Structures are given as C-alpha cells and as structure tokens.
Amino acid sequence: MLKALLARAHQKHRTIGFPQQPPVLPDRLRGRPEIDVALCPKDCHVCADVCPTDAISVDEKGLRLDLGRCLFCPECVQACPEGAIRFTTEHRLAASFRDALILGDKEFQLAKALDEKSRKLFGRSLKLRQVSAGGCNGCEADVNVLNTVVFDLGRFGIQFVASPRHADGLLVTGPVTQNMELALRKTYDAVPSPKLVIAVGACAISGGPYIGHSEQRNGVGGIVPVDLLIPGCPPHPITILDGLLRLLGKMDASEGSAAGKSPG
Amino acid sequence: MIDLANLPPVAFEEFRNMIVSAVKAGARLNALFGAVLPKAGAPGSDAKQVTGDLRLFAVLAQDSAGTLNVTSTLVGDAYPALTPDCPQAHWFEREIAEQWGVKPEGHPWLKPIRFHRSYREGRDAWTRSAEIAIQPGVVNFFTMTGDEVHEVSVGPVHAGIIEPGHFRFQCHGEKVYHLEISLGYQHRGVERALVGGPDKRTIPYMETLAGDTTIGYALAYCEAVEALAGCRVPARAQTLRAIALELERLANHTGDIGALAGDVGYLPTANFCGRIRGDFLNMTALICGNRFGRGLVRPGGILFDLDETRRMELSKRLRQAGEDVSNAIELLWEAPSVRSWFDNTGTVSRETALELGLVGVAARASGIERDVRAQFPSGIYRFAHIPVSLYHTGNVFSRAHVRWMEIQRSIAFIFDQLKVLPEGPVRTPTGPLAANCAVVSLTEGWRGEICHVALTDAAGRFAHYKVVDPSFHNWMGLALALRDQQISDFPLCNKSFNLSYCGHDL
Ligand code: SF4
C-alpha cells in the first residue's frame, strides 16, 4: 500500500489544462492544411496527382482540399514545387456537415454547438457507444486515450458505455465494411431517440484510404445521419476532444479555449 | 529475393511432403497462400484480372539457422489438405479456400475466415449461391451438447472501444471447453487492392493494415520494395527506423500491461501505464508529427530527420518515461493477488505453441526462441542486437513478463542508438522494381512477426502481394488458451495476446 502511495507521488498529477489552457501539441503536427493559391502556377495539379485519396481537386474554380478525405499524409506538401500547401499545427478540425470540410475559397466553418434543447439533454451527460466499423484501429486508439488520466473525459460528463441502450449516441470509426453494415444499423436502432452520431476519422467520413472498395460503404454518412465529423488519419486526441466539446457548446465558437470558466 | 524463373512449380505431392516433413522437423510456416500470376513474358497484362491457374506458395523458416525456403505448386479445383498433417496450415488453408474457391480436401475445420466472395468469379469453396449475400459470422459453429452445457456468444460489437469480432464459447457452468473465433468484420479488401501497385495508395494501405503497427507494417513493405529495387537505405535512416519500431513496441507493450492490470482491477498500474503509453506515442510524434508514425517510413528511407534538439529532447523524454514505466510496472509485480491471477490463467504449453506456429510475445512467453530481430535481422538489427526476451510458463504472467523485459531492452536499445546516430542523408531514391521476382520481407512488429511476400509481374508491378499479420498465427493460440478457463477470464486472456482484428481481416 505504501509503495502504491509512493508510486502515486512519483507519477504526479498529469491531467492536461486543456481546454482552459491551449493544448501542447507536437511542433510537426500535421493539423489543418493551408493553401496559398496565389503561389500555384497555371495548370499545375501535382498535388492532386499524388494525393492517395483524391482529396485535392483543381479546376477553373481553383484548388479544393477535402479534409474529409485527407489522410494528412505529407505527400502533397512534399510534391508541391512552390510550397503552396503546408500544414499548420491548427488542431481544430471538427465540422457539423460534410461540405464544411472542403477547403477552398470559403472560411473554414468549425462545428456548431447543438441547439439549446439538445444541449439541455446531452450537455451535462453524454453517453456514447463506440462502433468500430472497419479501418485500422488507429482512431479507436486515440478515442480510447481520452479515457486516460491525461484527458480525463469524465470531467466533461462524457462517457463511453457498453450498451447502445444506455447511450445517447454513437461514435463511429471505420469506412463501414460490408460485414459491419448490419451491426452498425442494428446498434443505431438500439439507441433511444433523440440520438447523435459522431464520425471520427477519414474512413468514417469518406472511406479514407479505402474509398471506392466494394468491401466497404465510403463512410457512415450513407448509412445513418451524422451530427459531427472529426477528420484525421487518425485525428489527434485533442482534435477529437475539441470536436466533442464544441458539439456540447463547451468551447468558444471560434476560439481554441473553453467557453466560460469551468468545464462540465 | 528470388527470380520467379528459379522457382518453378513442383509437383503437388512434392510440395505437400516437403512442407509436412520440414514442419515436423522443426520448420515454421511463415506463409502459405495462393496467387494467380499473369503468364510470364506477357507484359502489360492486367494484373487485377484473375484468370489462370492457381499457384500455391509456401514460405518456411528455420528459425535457429535463420534461413527461409520458398516453394510453389499448381492446384486445380481441389487438393488434399495439408492441415491434417500440419496444424500450422489450418488458418492458411481456410484463407486459400475463401480467396480462390478451391477446396483443401480433408480439412478438418473448413470455414470462411473473412466472409467475402472468392477472387475468382463463379468459384466458391462452399458452393454458396452468388444470389445470396454472405453474412459474417454465419457458420456452423462447433457445439457441445449435454445437460447444463450452454453457449455464450459475444460480438461483433463489444462492450469497450475495440474492434469487432465474434466469439462463441461452449461452457459448462463457468468453465470454457471450447472457444471458436469468427472474424472478418474489418475486411476492407486491402490485399486485392495492392495488386498492380506500387501506386499512390500503397503506403496508406500499409500504414493502416493495423494502425497500431504503422511503423512495423510500413517497414516490412519498404524493405520488400527496397530489395526488389536493389536500393540501399542510408545508415541514418536505418537507425531511425529501428528507433521508431522500438518506440511503437514500447507504447503498445506499456498499454497492454496497463490494460492487463485494469482487467484484474489493479488500478494504479492501469492508470499510470495508460498515460505512459501516450508519452511513448508522443515521442513518435516528436519525430514525425503523428503519434502512430504515419508519414515517417517511406521506400528509400524516412521523411523526417531527427535534428540535434529533437535528439536531446527524445533522450530526455525517454529517460523520464523509462523511470515512470519501471515505477508503474514494478508495483504490479508486488501485488500477490495480481501475481496469482496472472499465474493461473491462460496457459499455452510450449508444445502447443510450436504446433500452432505461434509468433511474437505469445511464442516467447511459451519458451520459444523466435524473434525476427535476432534470427532474420535487417537494417540496423544486423549490427545492433537486442537479446530475445524469453519466459517459459506460457500463461498471462509470462506474456506480461516478456513484454516487461522487452520494454527494458527497447529503452536500452534506443538510448544506445541515439548515442551513435550515423551522420548523413535519411532517404535515397528507390528506382524501378525487378520484374518477375518474389521477395519475402520479415519484421518483428510489437505483436510478432509480420511477413510480406511480394510477387512482381513482367513490368515490375505487384502481381500479388501477401500480408501475414502476427495475429493470423496467434488467434488460434488464444482459442486454446481459453480451454478449461473460467469464462470471466476471457478479457484477461484476450488482452494478454492483444491480437489484431484489422491486421487479420485486411
Ligand atoms: S495530405 Fe491529404 S490532401 Fe495532401 S496528399 Fe495526403 S491525403 Fe491528399
């Protein structure tokens, strides 16, 4: 017992200050990409050519980058001869609807909070059932990590539960394989209404690296309605947490820090 | 690497006898798979089109001698199964039957493993109708009858944040007599999509075969294409790749020990390790920006160098995490209740492990000296040796203990490598791949041996690309570890193997 207490002292308090304080992120983090079309030579589409998921399109309207398909692999950045695409360490990526994820001429629209009625229902206690529907288990790993003492998801009233019947919504990862489609539908049906669906990762949003494979369904959106999309391959845990908190109205609409003083 | 011209198919009998007798004499089946290759000398033939004769390939390892043997044969609609004489072939032959619609006759347990249609239209090993959809997990499970016998069925959707899989337990009271594992829910068609590559999706496919093994998989792939291209990776890149591979091992082993502690309700270690696992992942992110190492390993080297400040920072963080992880895990060993629970659960004997051809932590925890880093070393492991971590009791404790030994050795290895990091570039161009060749690439991922076999066509594209995840060998080990156990110990046993669903399902 004494040893356990000494170990406790050794290991210290490790819960991060986010969202009251800005998150500490790796300086090489590939967060939201920034495109400077002014640098693009005419008719250049090198970036679109190398992109593994065809996330980039170049046409008369200019260059567009679909964050829902993006794997945040560095290929386009490496390939661009002009340095027109670069990654920023901007971790806030969550959006409320699919189109918001297409970067181009318009301002990036961060996920909006639920309406007041839903916030009343879910704002203080959100129980989620996680469904892993294909993919590589990377998103699952970085969702799971939110339960560690570092992120301490419980302090925001968010909890992952074992049964869909105890849940307010689903958090889905993976492109939805053919072999998981039925299980996903059944799990969705088993969640009492009103319910939320959160799609985490490129796979769940668009099929990710598996876009177009006949063995999967190009993401969750075609199977059940989605309320929050969190891009990444996989998204950084802070990006996921930021998305969840935004949905619950616990983050300032455009800022990186918490709305109000205390979380929860 | 071998020129396919030097690997003519042998007669089936010869093929079968050779494998059966080699395995009886102590060899191990790394891979056994089917491929339909385009006719040699037919350039430009569409690699994705699967018509022609099915060729079976086998890769056999002599671990102690560090040698590999490849052999192949042609088969028709059916052939006499190897499994009755060679249990290691069990899962492989089910895969062959499912992928190619051929029947290994006399296979004692012939069921689908991933639940998809065969690659050859109109062929089906179970003569299922093309009209009726294939439902995952719908098979005749092995059952037991008798008074008070009952069946417990779990999954595909589980209680925690984990991947889908289906488990059927045949129990009497609390005691499990048999566990049957049915997978395939994560099947997303990667192997088939790799044919015709390398192309721009190949690397993302490799990095996501099993997301927690991004480095291990990317490395196995890169070493395969580097061999085919005759490319020599700069020394600095080789060292940094090994550092990344060991960091991946550290993160996962630490997470696993934490989770094992959590499964027996020993929360201090569970909580500490949960956090320290993240510290290791963040070290990988320090190198390349991504916690799982996405974007780091590429053919010809790596994409991100470790500058001096980063090297110092990495050493500093590793020292701290090393102290923390020792503190957290030593605490676990001192709890007698944990020890007795771990000691009495999930035993796989050395004989069983050998017979099944288990790999990785599971093999070493049953006293088998089997580690690619020592027996088939590549890259920096040829010069810098990591001792094989062995323990003999084959139970949950043994698997935890082997992880703990490996944690300490990986930390020591990284420190050593950081001190002698060679100067120079971190990447070199790869060039085109050799045509009509076969290459076998082995990497010791944190779960165990990752085996890639690439076969190229006349244009140097992949005519076939075989991926064998360590879990492919080990799922059966978990099933047998459960026999005569309390069903309530399933989570603990399962965690002690911590196998991959997506790496298996592909
Ligand atoms: S970073 Fe995103 S947009 Fe760029 S190449 Fe990779 S997947 Fe495509």
Side-chain angles (χ1 to χ4, degrees):
Chain A
M1 190 61 206
L2 186 62
K3 284 218 165 114
L5 289 172
L6 287 172
R8 178 67 195 82
H10 170 92
Q11 304 279 348
K12 304 198 187 78
H13 174 81
R14 298 299 183 109
T15 307
I16 52 170
F18 181 83
Q20 277 71 38
Q21 283 141 33
V24 181
L25 294 162
D27 64 331
R28 281 179 173 169
L29 178 83
R30 291 188 290 285
R32 198 192 299 161
E34 223 170 54
I35 309 160
D36 187 353
V37 277
L39 294 173
C40 292
K42 201 169 147 12
D43 294 333
C44 176
H45 42 75
V46 182
C47 52
D49 294 345
V50 297
C51 177
T53 54
D54 299 323
I56 303 180
S57 60
V58 190
D59 55 23
E60 341 51 86
K61 285 182 269 153
L63 191 149
R64 260 149 239 277
L65 194 158
D66 182 355
L67 284 182
R69 283 176 168 242
C70 183
L71 306 180
F72 298 77
C73 72
E75 307 303 331
C76 53
V77 176
Q78 298 260 323
C80 178
E82 306 296 330
I85 302 188
R86 63 175 199 101
F87 285 107
T88 68
T89 52
E90 173 57 71
H91 64 278
R92 294 168 302 166
L93 299 170
S96 301
F97 55 99
R98 185 67 183 83
D99 266 359
L101 293 175
I102 299 174
L103 301 183
D105 37 14
K106 57 184 191 311
E107 190 66 3
F108 182 70
Q109 237 183 310
L110 276 169
K112 287 193 300 291
L114 292 166
D115 60 31
E116 206 172 324
K117 190 165 153 247
S118 306
R119 275 214 315 264
K120 261 211 168 101
L121 272 173
F122 304 129
R124 292 161 66 95
S125 157
L126 178 69
K127 309 280 175 198
L128 296 171
R129 169 68 269 212
Q130 199 272 335
V131 180
S132 171
C136 77
N137 201 26
C139 290
E140 287 84 340
D142 266 351
V143 168
N144 226 341
V145 88
L146 297 179
N147 287 319
T148 62
V149 292
V150 179
F151 300 92
D152 192 13
L153 193 61
R155 68 192 154 129
F156 306 104
I158 308 173
Q159 196 195 346
F160 288 96
V161 292
S163 164
R165 300 199 190 280
H166 302 160
D168 302 310
L170 301 180
L171 185 150
V172 189
T173 52
V176 187
T177 52
Q178 191 171 329
N179 286 347
M180 272 306 286
E181 185 179 344
L182 182 67
L184 172 61
R185 285 185 195 278
K186 281 190 177 171
T187 312
Y188 177 79
D189 290 342
V191 178
S193 293
K195 49 189 154 192
L196 299 171
V197 175
I198 301 164
V200 173
C203 285
I205 297 173
S206 67
Y210 318 111
I211 292 175
H213 288 202
S214 61
E215 294 86 351
Q216 55 81 55
R217 301 284 176 259
N218 288 338
V220 186
I223 316 280
V224 294
V226 178
D227 303 278
L228 180 70
L229 307 106
I230 307 179
C233 187
H236 191 279
I238 288 285
T239 302
I240 306 174
L241 183 56
D242 171 79
L244 294 173
L245 296 181
R246 258 170 224 291
L247 185 74
L248 297 182
K250 296 186 185 197
M251 300 292 284
D252 275 342
S254 61
E255 296 298 309
S257 59
K261 276 259 148 34
S262 74
Chain B
M1 189 178 83
I2 346 168
D3 193 325
L4 281 171
N6 298 329
L7 187 70
V10 298
F12 180 78
E13 268 314 297
E14 196 183 320
F15 176 83
R16 191 179 189 284
N17 286 342
M18 184 207 155
I19 297 171
V20 170
S21 54
V23 170
K24 280 211 172 104
R28 184 167 59 87
L29 205 48
N30 311 68
L32 171 68
F33 62 97
V36 172
L37 300 183
K39 293 259 177 298
S45 58
D46 181 0
K48 287 204 190 206
Q49 196 189 324
V50 277
T51 49
D53 296 331
L54 179 64
R55 198 157 152 191
L56 298 187
F57 288 85
V59 182
L60 287 158
Q62 291 286 355
D63 291 325
S64 47
T67 56
L68 290 176
N69 259 310
V70 181
T71 177
S72 87
T73 190
L74 292 165
V75 290
D77 291 342
Y79 68 89
L82 282 77
T83 305
D85 297 317
C86 175
Q88 285 187 29
H90 164 214
W91 215 260
F92 287 114
E93 290 198 301
R94 286 168 65 171
E95 181 185 53
I96 292 170
E98 184 167 40
Q99 291 185 338
W100 303 104
V102 298
K103 193 154 186 177
E105 277 167 339
H107 191 292
W109 204 342
L110 192 60
K111 297 174 191 180
I113 59 168
R114 300 195 182 102
F115 300 89
H116 61 76
R117 295 235 179 264
S118 101
Y119 295 169
R120 293 193 291 180
E121 226 184 290
R123 280 173 184 265
D124 189 281
W126 296 273
T127 57
R128 292 168 295 189
S129 149
E131 263 88 77
I132 300 166
I134 295 176
Q135 302 276 358
V138 180
V139 282
N140 282 329
F141 286 101
F142 182 87
T143 53
M144 202 167 90
T145 50
D147 286 348
E148 297 171 23
V149 165
H150 64 108
E151 185 181 83
V152 178
S153 139
V154 181
V157 181
H158 301 290
I161 305 181
I162 50 169
E163 299 179 81
H166 184 81
F167 301 90
R168 276 290 165 105
F169 300 87
Q170 307 298 326
C171 307
H172 182 257
E174 282 286 293
K175 191 163 152 184
V176 178
Y177 280 82
H178 179 71
L179 159 63
E180 186 164 351
I181 300 170
S182 185
L183 302 172
Y185 297 92
Q186 301 280 71
H187 177 60
R188 50 213 188 278
V190 184
E191 243 184 36
R192 205 158 58 135
L194 287 168
V195 172
D199 56 35
K200 58 186 185 174
R201 275 216 203 166
T202 311
I203 272 283
Y205 284 144
M206 295 298 166
E207 290 189 334
T208 60
L209 283 166
D212 51 26
T213 317
T214 297
I215 300 289
Y217 264 119
L219 202 51
Y221 165 70
C222 288
E223 290 185 347
V225 291
E226 285 152 8
L228 286 166
C231 159
R232 288 175 65 117
V233 177
R236 187 175 176 87
Q238 290 187 15
T239 306
L240 289 170
R241 281 174 168 189
I243 289 174
L245 187 68
E246 297 310 321
L247 281 175
E248 187 166 88
R249 193 177 326 276
L250 283 167
N252 284 293
H253 280 2
T254 304
D256 283 351
I257 293 183
L260 286 169
D263 275 335
V264 295
Y266 194 73
L267 298 184
T269 303
N271 285 330
F272 302 151
C273 284
R275 182 208 99 225
I276 303 164
R277 168 184 171 275
D279 293 344
F280 288 122
L281 293 176
N282 289 338
M283 289 180 218
T284 302
L286 173 73
I287 305 176
C288 72
N290 180 287
R291 287 157 51 91
F292 297 90
R294 302 280 158 89
L296 179 60
V297 183
R298 288 292 182 272
I302 53 169
L303 279 191
F304 297 90
D305 199 358
L306 196 72
D307 51 55
E308 188 50 23
T309 351
R310 263 172 233 277
R311 193 181 65 86
M312 307 272 281
E313 174 68 16
L314 184 57
S315 297
K316 190 176 115 208
R317 290 201 204 172
L318 190 63
R319 184 153 294 115
Q320 183 61 53
E323 280 171 24
D324 291 355
V325 79
S326 298
N327 173 280
I329 294 175
E330 275 159 13
L331 196 60
L332 181 70
W333 305 144
E334 284 177 19
S337 56
V338 171
R339 267 307 293 264
S340 78
W341 202 338
F342 279 20
D343 276 342
N344 293 315
T345 313
T347 306
V348 179
S349 69
R350 184 167 194 274
E351 293 66 44
T352 306
L354 280 171
E355 210 173 355
L356 293 176
L358 298 191
V359 296
V361 170
R364 294 191 283 277
S366 290
I368 303 175
E369 200 166 336
R370 187 168 285 171
D371 187 328
V372 173
R373 293 173 295 171
Q375 289 156 337
F376 301 94
S378 59
I380 196 70
Y381 295 108
R382 287 169 299 167
F383 314 109
H385 304 290
I386 295 191
V388 180
S389 301
L390 275 181
Y391 205 67
H392 59 280
T393 52
N395 47 25
V396 171
F397 173 74
S398 196
R399 289 185 284 277
H401 186 65
V402 166
R403 286 182 171 95
W404 168 227
M405 285 192 278
E406 295 190 359
I407 287 173
Q408 300 170 73
R409 288 168 172 170
S410 293
I411 292 176
F413 175 87
I414 300 177
F415 273 131
D416 287 349
Q417 295 310 312
L418 284 174
K419 277 187 215 122
V420 294
L421 203 57
E423 293 295 323
V426 292
R427 201 172 181 200
T428 184
T430 22
L433 310 189
N436 296 319
C437 278
V439 68
V440 179
S441 166
L442 301 179
T443 298
E444 189 70 25
W446 63 274
R447 277 193 186 89
E449 175 187 283
I450 298 166
C451 172
H452 284 203
V453 187
L455 305 175
T456 56
D457 63 13
R461 321 290 306 174
F462 297 139
H464 193 80
Y465 200 99
K466 182 76 213 135
V467 173
V468 189
D469 187 88
S471 313
F472 197 90
H473 302 277
N474 285 4
W475 276 110
M476 204 52 208
L478 169 63
L480 292 188
L482 247 283
R483 290 204 174 163
D484 292 335
Q485 299 293 302
Q486 300 275 304
I487 189 167
S488 51
D489 278 335
F490 173 65
L492 182 65
C493 275
N494 190 17
K495 196 36 111 175
S496 74
F497 281 84
N498 193 9
L499 303 177
S500 175
Y501 301 72
C502 53
H504 169 276
D505 291 347
L506 304 174

